[in-house]
Amino acid sequence: ALPKNISAIFQANFDQLDAISQLLRNTARGYGAEFAYQVDLACSEIVTNIIKHAYTEHSGELNVEINTFNNKIEINFHDQGDVFDINALPEVDLSQPHEGGYGRYLVKQLMDKVEYTPNTTRGNHWHLLKSLHEEDIT
């Protein structure tokens, strides 16, 4: 039943985290359980950070778009929250463990492509891609 495109809008709050997670898992399930788990884990990290950091001063919506292809899944998150300076985050140094800051590192390990673009016409944009085969990443 691939490919398909799913679009959903959620309130950007922690009450919605389970519903977003379920949507992602159900959509990615066709690629296998481990694949779906990794997509869910990576996206939960992104969504948690959007709720925690982009919407600290006000509430708002999170637009979730999932595009499935035969061998890869593409996920886009758009929010109207505060802009996030991705370059201000220090790179993780695993030889110097410390608390926090591992989310982006984890997401990069789980997904094949992770891009963040602030202030697009549709708000802040996270673009994630995971492929079944490395050669399919485009």
Side-chain angles (χ1 to χ4, degrees), residues 4-8 10 20-21 23-29 31 35-44 46-47 50 62-69 72-78 107 110-116 122 124-131 138:
K4 62 183 170 188
N5 303 320
I6 296 167
S7 194
F10 296 90
I20 296 168
S21 228
L23 175 68
L24 288 156
R25 268 196 320 271
N26 289 343
T27 308
R29 190 171 281 140
Y31 299 99
F35 187 98
Y37 172 75
Q38 291 176 357
V39 167
D40 180 31
L41 186 59
C43 291
S44 292
I46 297 287
V47 171
I50 290 170
L62 177 62
N63 192 302
V64 180
E65 288 171 4
I66 309 166
N67 301 311
T68 62
F69 305 91
K72 64 186 173 188
I73 190 167
E74 176 187 52
I75 300 139
N76 293 290
F77 296 111
H78 290 92
V107 172
L110 294 169
M111 302 299 283
D112 295 314
K113 191 186 267 187
V114 182
E115 296 167 335
Y116 173 77
R122 297 182 58 203
N124 305 315
H125 177 206
W126 281 96
H127 174 79
L128 293 93
L129 186 83
K130 184 166 181 68
S131 175
T138 51

Side-chain angles (χ1 to χ4, degrees), residues 45 52 89-93 96-105:
E45 182 62 37
K52 217 155 75 176
L89 281 183
E91 282 301 316
V92 170
D93 179 0
Q96 299 288 316
H98 61 90
E99 252 183 69
Y102 293 101
R104 189 173 59 136
Y105 175 80

